[in-house]
Amino acid sequence: MNPSTSPNPQVLLDVRGVTLQYKTQNHLVTATYRVDFQVCKSDRYILLGPSGCGKSTLLKAIGGFLTPAEGEIMLKGAAISKPGYDRMMVFQEFDQLLPWKTVKQNVMFPLLSSGKWKGRAAEDKAVCYLEKVGLMKFANHYPHMLSGGMKQRVAIARGMAMEPDVLLMDEPYAALDALTRRKMQDELLHLWDDTHFTVIFVTHSIPEAIKLGNRILLLSPHPGQVRAELEGRSRDSTDRDEAGRLEAKINDLLFAGENMNQEAQHA
Ligand code: ADP
Ligand code: MG
Protein backbone atom coordinates (compact mmCIF):
# COMPACT_ATOMS: atom_id res chain seq x y z
CA MET A 1 0.00 0.00 0.00
CA ASN A 2 1.24 3.48 -0.78
CA PRO A 3 1.80 5.11 2.62
CA SER A 4 1.27 8.61 1.20
CA THR A 5 -2.42 7.91 0.53
CA SER A 6 -4.51 7.30 3.61
CA PRO A 7 -7.35 4.88 2.87
CA ASN A 8 -10.72 6.45 2.16
CA PRO A 9 -13.37 4.38 3.95
CA GLN A 10 -15.84 5.04 1.14
CA VAL A 11 -13.59 3.38 -1.46
CA LEU A 12 -14.80 -0.07 -2.42
CA LEU A 13 -12.52 -0.82 -5.36
CA ASP A 14 -9.07 0.64 -5.78
CA VAL A 15 -7.28 0.23 -9.11
CA ARG A 16 -3.66 1.28 -8.65
CA GLY A 17 -1.17 1.71 -11.48
CA VAL A 18 -2.59 -1.21 -13.40
CA THR A 19 -0.82 -2.32 -16.56
CA LEU A 20 -2.47 -5.23 -18.34
CA GLN A 21 -0.81 -7.25 -21.05
CA TYR A 22 -1.56 -10.19 -23.30
CA LYS A 23 1.22 -12.52 -24.32
CA THR A 24 0.67 -13.67 -27.88
CA GLN A 25 2.92 -16.07 -29.78
CA ASN A 26 5.15 -13.35 -31.20
CA HIS A 27 4.77 -10.36 -28.95
CA LEU A 28 3.38 -8.69 -25.86
CA VAL A 29 0.25 -6.55 -26.26
CA THR A 30 -0.09 -3.80 -23.67
CA ALA A 31 -3.83 -3.23 -23.29
CA THR A 32 -3.78 -0.68 -20.44
CA TYR A 33 -0.90 1.33 -19.01
CA ARG A 34 -0.71 2.37 -15.34
CA VAL A 35 -4.41 2.97 -14.89
CA ASP A 36 -5.56 4.44 -11.56
CA PHE A 37 -9.11 4.94 -10.35
CA GLN A 38 -11.26 4.38 -7.29
CA VAL A 39 -14.86 3.27 -7.14
CA CYS A 40 -16.96 4.10 -4.08
CA LYS A 41 -20.01 2.28 -2.79
CA SER A 42 -23.14 3.02 -4.86
CA ASP A 43 -21.14 4.60 -7.69
CA ARG A 44 -22.43 4.23 -11.21
CA TYR A 45 -18.88 4.27 -12.49
CA ILE A 46 -18.34 4.50 -16.25
CA LEU A 47 -15.27 3.37 -18.19
CA LEU A 48 -15.50 5.35 -21.43
CA GLY A 49 -13.10 5.07 -24.33
CA PRO A 50 -12.76 4.00 -27.95
CA SER A 51 -12.75 0.37 -29.06
CA GLY A 52 -9.50 -1.37 -28.26
CA CYS A 53 -8.53 0.96 -25.38
CA GLY A 54 -8.67 -1.87 -22.86
CA LYS A 55 -12.09 -1.45 -21.22
CA SER A 56 -13.00 -5.15 -21.39
CA THR A 57 -9.49 -6.05 -20.31
CA LEU A 58 -9.80 -3.84 -17.23
CA LEU A 59 -13.15 -5.39 -16.38
CA LYS A 60 -11.68 -8.90 -16.77
CA ALA A 61 -8.89 -7.97 -14.38
CA ILE A 62 -11.41 -6.61 -11.85
CA GLY A 63 -13.30 -9.85 -12.35
CA GLY A 64 -10.12 -11.71 -11.39
CA PHE A 65 -9.65 -13.39 -14.79
CA LEU A 66 -6.39 -11.53 -15.57
CA THR A 67 -3.46 -10.64 -13.33
CA PRO A 68 -1.90 -7.18 -13.75
CA ALA A 69 1.66 -7.05 -15.09
CA GLU A 70 2.10 -3.96 -12.92
CA GLY A 71 0.03 -2.50 -10.08
CA GLU A 72 -2.81 -4.04 -8.13
CA ILE A 73 -6.56 -4.05 -7.76
CA MET A 74 -7.98 -3.99 -4.25
CA LEU A 75 -11.54 -4.83 -3.31
CA LYS A 76 -12.48 -3.75 0.21
CA GLY A 77 -8.78 -3.54 1.06
CA ALA A 78 -7.79 -7.00 -0.21
CA ALA A 79 -5.96 -7.65 -3.48
CA ILE A 80 -8.05 -9.41 -6.13
CA SER A 81 -6.37 -12.65 -7.16
CA LYS A 82 -9.19 -14.75 -8.62
CA PRO A 83 -12.81 -14.58 -9.74
CA GLY A 84 -15.43 -14.44 -7.02
CA TYR A 85 -19.15 -14.11 -6.48
CA ASP A 86 -18.55 -10.68 -4.94
CA ARG A 87 -18.09 -9.43 -8.54
CA MET A 88 -20.75 -10.43 -11.06
CA MET A 89 -20.39 -9.79 -14.80
CA VAL A 90 -22.95 -8.89 -17.46
CA PHE A 91 -21.65 -9.11 -21.02
CA GLN A 92 -22.72 -7.67 -24.36
CA GLU A 93 -23.46 -11.04 -25.93
CA PHE A 94 -26.95 -12.52 -25.76
CA ASP A 95 -25.60 -16.06 -25.26
CA GLN A 96 -24.49 -15.67 -21.65
CA LEU A 97 -27.43 -17.67 -20.26
CA LEU A 98 -27.50 -21.43 -19.93
CA PRO A 99 -29.78 -22.52 -22.81
CA TRP A 100 -30.99 -25.72 -21.12
CA LYS A 101 -32.18 -23.88 -18.01
CA THR A 102 -35.29 -21.74 -17.63
CA VAL A 103 -35.12 -18.04 -16.87
CA LYS A 104 -35.68 -18.67 -13.16
CA GLN A 105 -33.15 -21.53 -13.08
CA ASN A 106 -30.60 -19.27 -14.76
CA VAL A 107 -31.04 -16.62 -12.07
CA MET A 108 -30.94 -19.27 -9.33
CA PHE A 109 -27.81 -20.94 -10.70
CA PRO A 110 -25.11 -18.74 -9.09
CA LEU A 111 -27.21 -18.36 -5.95
CA LEU A 112 -27.09 -22.12 -5.47
CA SER A 113 -23.61 -22.86 -6.83
CA SER A 114 -22.08 -20.18 -4.60
CA GLY A 115 -23.79 -21.78 -1.61
CA LYS A 116 -24.92 -18.28 -0.61
CA TRP A 117 -28.61 -19.25 -0.79
CA LYS A 118 -30.29 -22.64 -0.68
CA GLY A 119 -33.59 -24.13 -1.87
CA ARG A 120 -36.57 -21.92 -1.21
CA ALA A 121 -34.43 -18.92 -0.20
CA ALA A 122 -32.67 -19.04 -3.60
CA GLU A 123 -35.99 -19.29 -5.38
CA ASP A 124 -37.41 -16.32 -3.46
CA LYS A 125 -34.32 -14.27 -4.23
CA ALA A 126 -34.57 -15.13 -7.95
CA VAL A 127 -38.26 -14.22 -8.02
CA CYS A 128 -37.56 -10.92 -6.27
CA TYR A 129 -35.02 -9.89 -8.91
CA LEU A 130 -37.04 -11.21 -11.85
CA GLU A 131 -39.86 -8.99 -10.60
CA LYS A 132 -37.50 -6.03 -10.45
CA VAL A 133 -36.63 -6.48 -14.15
CA GLY A 134 -40.28 -7.18 -15.07
CA LEU A 135 -39.74 -10.76 -16.21
CA MET A 136 -41.64 -12.83 -13.68
CA LYS A 137 -44.17 -13.80 -16.37
CA PHE A 138 -41.31 -15.45 -18.28
CA ALA A 139 -39.77 -17.31 -15.32
CA ASN A 140 -40.42 -20.72 -16.89
CA HIS A 141 -39.38 -19.77 -20.43
CA TYR A 142 -36.09 -20.88 -21.95
CA PRO A 143 -33.55 -18.33 -23.25
CA HIS A 144 -34.24 -19.09 -26.93
CA MET A 145 -37.84 -17.94 -26.38
CA LEU A 146 -36.71 -14.43 -25.35
CA SER A 147 -35.71 -11.28 -27.25
CA GLY A 148 -32.19 -9.86 -26.92
CA GLY A 149 -33.37 -7.22 -24.44
CA MET A 150 -35.14 -9.82 -22.31
CA LYS A 151 -32.03 -12.00 -22.24
CA GLN A 152 -30.00 -9.01 -21.04
CA ARG A 153 -32.60 -8.38 -18.32
CA VAL A 154 -32.21 -11.99 -17.15
CA ALA A 155 -28.42 -11.58 -17.07
CA ILE A 156 -28.83 -8.36 -15.06
CA ALA A 157 -31.28 -10.05 -12.66
CA ARG A 158 -28.84 -12.95 -12.26
CA GLY A 159 -25.97 -10.58 -11.48
CA MET A 160 -27.98 -8.41 -9.11
CA ALA A 161 -29.60 -11.33 -7.28
CA MET A 162 -26.18 -12.31 -5.96
CA GLU A 163 -26.06 -8.87 -4.35
CA PRO A 164 -22.37 -8.59 -5.26
CA ASP A 165 -20.07 -5.86 -3.99
CA VAL A 166 -19.90 -4.61 -7.55
CA LEU A 167 -21.74 -5.42 -10.77
CA LEU A 168 -19.46 -5.34 -13.82
CA MET A 169 -21.29 -4.52 -17.05
CA ASP A 170 -19.40 -4.74 -20.35
CA GLU A 171 -21.31 -2.84 -23.04
CA PRO A 172 -24.47 -4.74 -22.08
CA TYR A 173 -26.73 -2.75 -24.42
CA ALA A 174 -24.39 -2.36 -27.39
CA ALA A 175 -26.09 -5.07 -29.46
CA LEU A 176 -29.64 -3.85 -28.81
CA ASP A 177 -31.73 -1.65 -31.09
CA ALA A 178 -31.79 2.05 -30.18
CA LEU A 179 -35.27 2.06 -28.60
CA THR A 180 -34.66 -1.03 -26.48
CA ARG A 181 -31.30 0.34 -25.47
CA ARG A 182 -32.89 3.55 -24.22
CA LYS A 183 -35.52 1.62 -22.28
CA MET A 184 -32.86 -0.60 -20.71
CA GLN A 185 -30.83 2.44 -19.66
CA ASP A 186 -33.91 3.93 -17.94
CA GLU A 187 -34.59 0.61 -16.25
CA LEU A 188 -31.03 0.37 -14.96
CA LEU A 189 -31.36 3.82 -13.39
CA HIS A 190 -34.67 2.82 -11.77
CA LEU A 191 -33.04 -0.34 -10.42
CA TRP A 192 -30.28 1.81 -9.02
CA ASP A 193 -32.84 4.14 -7.39
CA ASP A 194 -34.30 1.05 -5.76
CA THR A 195 -31.16 -0.67 -4.44
CA HIS A 196 -28.23 1.76 -4.89
CA PHE A 197 -26.02 -1.09 -6.09
CA THR A 198 -22.43 -0.37 -7.16
CA VAL A 199 -21.82 -0.79 -10.86
CA ILE A 200 -18.88 -0.37 -13.22
CA PHE A 201 -20.33 0.12 -16.67
CA VAL A 202 -18.21 -0.03 -19.82
CA THR A 203 -19.28 1.86 -22.91
CA HIS A 204 -17.88 3.65 -25.94
CA SER A 205 -21.01 5.80 -26.20
CA ILE A 206 -20.67 9.33 -24.81
CA PRO A 207 -24.47 9.85 -24.44
CA GLU A 208 -24.78 6.51 -22.62
CA ALA A 209 -21.93 7.47 -20.26
CA ILE A 210 -23.56 10.82 -19.50
CA LYS A 211 -26.99 9.31 -19.00
CA LEU A 212 -25.88 6.54 -16.64
CA GLY A 213 -22.79 7.62 -14.76
CA ASN A 214 -22.21 9.61 -11.60
CA ARG A 215 -18.49 9.37 -12.42
CA ILE A 216 -16.87 8.90 -15.80
CA LEU A 217 -13.33 7.70 -16.43
CA LEU A 218 -12.08 8.74 -19.83
CA LEU A 219 -9.52 6.39 -21.34
CA SER A 220 -7.13 7.22 -24.18
CA PRO A 221 -6.86 5.00 -27.26
CA HIS A 222 -4.69 1.89 -27.19
CA PRO A 223 -2.97 1.32 -24.84
CA GLY A 224 -5.60 2.65 -22.45
CA GLN A 225 -4.40 5.32 -20.06
CA VAL A 226 -6.48 7.59 -17.86
CA ARG A 227 -7.09 10.83 -19.66
CA ALA A 228 -9.48 12.34 -17.10
CA GLU A 229 -12.08 11.53 -14.50
CA LEU A 230 -15.24 13.61 -14.56
CA GLU A 231 -18.15 14.06 -12.20
CA GLY A 232 -21.26 12.85 -13.97
CA ARG A 233 -24.81 13.90 -13.23
CA SER A 234 -26.46 13.07 -9.94
CA ARG A 235 -29.84 11.36 -10.13
CA ASP A 236 -31.65 14.33 -8.60
CA SER A 237 -30.06 16.97 -10.83
CA THR A 238 -32.59 19.38 -12.34
CA ASP A 239 -30.00 21.22 -14.44
CA ARG A 240 -31.17 20.58 -18.00
CA ASP A 241 -28.02 21.99 -19.60
CA GLU A 242 -25.70 19.78 -17.60
CA ALA A 243 -25.66 16.93 -20.13
CA GLY A 244 -24.73 19.31 -22.96
CA ARG A 245 -21.90 20.85 -20.94
CA LEU A 246 -20.60 17.43 -19.98
CA GLU A 247 -20.69 16.23 -23.58
CA ALA A 248 -18.73 19.31 -24.72
CA LYS A 249 -16.16 18.73 -21.98
CA ILE A 250 -15.72 15.05 -22.91
CA ASN A 251 -15.32 15.95 -26.59
CA ASP A 252 -12.77 18.64 -25.68
CA LEU A 253 -10.76 16.18 -23.63
CA LEU A 254 -10.86 13.55 -26.37
CA PHE A 255 -9.85 15.96 -29.11
CA ALA A 256 -7.23 17.74 -27.01
CA GLY A 257 -5.59 14.36 -26.46
CA GLU A 258 -5.79 13.43 -30.15
CA ASN A 259 -4.12 16.68 -31.16
CA MET A 260 -1.40 16.21 -28.57
CA ASN A 261 -0.75 12.68 -29.81
CA GLN A 262 -0.55 13.83 -33.40
CA GLU A 263 1.82 16.65 -32.46
CA ALA A 264 4.01 14.21 -30.53
CA GLN A 265 4.07 11.79 -33.47
CA HIS A 266 5.07 14.57 -35.91
CA ALA A 267 7.62 16.20 -33.60
P1 ADP B 1 -12.06 -2.58 -25.52
O1 ADP B 1 -12.90 -3.43 -24.65
O2 ADP B 1 -11.79 -1.20 -24.96
O3 ADP B 1 -12.57 -2.49 -26.92
P2 ADP B 1 -10.12 -4.71 -25.18
O4 ADP B 1 -9.92 -4.73 -23.71
O5 ADP B 1 -11.00 -5.77 -25.74
O6 ADP B 1 -10.61 -3.26 -25.63
O7 ADP B 1 -8.71 -4.84 -25.91
C1 ADP B 1 -7.60 -4.01 -25.58
C2 ADP B 1 -6.42 -4.39 -26.45
O8 ADP B 1 -5.98 -5.69 -26.11
C3 ADP B 1 -6.73 -4.42 -27.94
O9 ADP B 1 -5.59 -3.97 -28.62
C4 ADP B 1 -6.96 -5.87 -28.23
O10 ADP B 1 -6.61 -6.20 -29.54
C5 ADP B 1 -6.02 -6.54 -27.25
N1 ADP B 1 -6.52 -7.86 -26.83
C6 ADP B 1 -7.72 -8.10 -26.25
N2 ADP B 1 -7.86 -9.42 -25.97
C7 ADP B 1 -6.70 -10.01 -26.39
C8 ADP B 1 -6.22 -11.36 -26.38
N3 ADP B 1 -6.94 -12.35 -25.88
N4 ADP B 1 -4.98 -11.58 -26.90
C9 ADP B 1 -4.23 -10.60 -27.38
N5 ADP B 1 -4.64 -9.30 -27.43
C10 ADP B 1 -5.85 -9.01 -26.94
MG1 MG C 1 -14.70 -4.42 -25.07
Side-chain angles (χ1 to χ4, degrees), residues 35-69:
V35 169
D36 286 293
F37 65 93
Q38 294 185 321
V39 178
C40 294
K41 200 164 159 32
S42 295
D43 267 343
R44 300 182 312 281
Y45 200 93
I46 309 291
L47 304 183
L48 173 66
S51 285
C53 78
K55 303 181 296 298
S56 296
T57 304
L58 263 172
L59 224 53
K60 278 183 215 155
I62 296 167
F65 298 100
L66 282 177
T67 306

Side-chain angles (χ1 to χ4, degrees), residues 122-135:
E123 194 168 346
D124 288 349
K125 187 62 76 180
V127 167
C128 165
Y129 280 89
L130 281 173
E131 272 167 0
K132 284 187 198 296
V133 299
L135 280 187

Side-chain angles (χ1 to χ4, degrees), residues 12-27:
L12 185 72
L13 186 91
D14 194 355
V15 176
R16 298 178 183 160
V18 166
T19 298
L20 293 163
Q21 293 177 326
Y22 293 100
K23 286 189 184 76
T24 64
Q25 266 182 334
N26 305 320
H27 56 295

Side-chain angles (χ1 to χ4, degrees), residues 35-174:
V35 169
D36 286 293
F37 65 93
Q38 294 185 321
V39 178
C40 294
K41 200 164 159 32
S42 295
D43 267 343
R44 300 182 312 281
Y45 200 93
I46 309 291
L47 304 183
L48 173 66
S51 285
C53 78
K55 303 181 296 298
S56 296
T57 304
L58 263 172
L59 224 53
K60 278 183 215 155
I62 296 167
F65 298 100
L66 282 177
T67 306
E70 246 190 321
E72 57 186 353
I73 306 177
M74 314 286 286
L75 179 68
K76 295 200 287 195
I80 288 173
S81 59
K82 59 179 190 303
Y85 289 105
D86 48 7
R87 289 147 284 146
M88 294 295 287
M89 283 259 202
V90 180
F91 299 96
Q92 174 182 340
E93 295 78 19
F94 296 156
D95 61 359
Q96 56 192 308
L97 305 175
L98 300 171
W100 62 89
K101 287 190 183 286
T102 65
V103 162
K104 187 158 79 180
Q105 288 166 345
N106 263 285
V107 178
M108 285 174 68
F109 188 74
L111 297 171
L112 295 169
S113 60
S114 65
K116 202 168 169 185
W117 282 277
K118 289 191 173 63
R120 189 57 201 263
E123 194 168 346
D124 288 349
K125 187 62 76 180
V127 167
C128 165
Y129 280 89
L130 281 173
E131 272 167 0
K132 284 187 198 296
V133 299
L135 280 187
M136 213 22 231
K137 271 198 301 199
F138 300 89
N140 295 320
H141 284 52
Y142 286 87
H144 75 270
M145 302 158 88
L146 307 179
S147 68
M150 289 159 88
K151 286 180 195 166
Q152 292 309 77
R153 285 190 182 95
V154 178
I156 291 165
R158 179 177 62 182
M160 288 188 73
M162 280 299 290
E163 297 172 351
D165 288 326
V166 57
L167 189 65
L168 307 172
M169 302 182 85
D170 193 357
E171 309 218 29
Y173 309 146

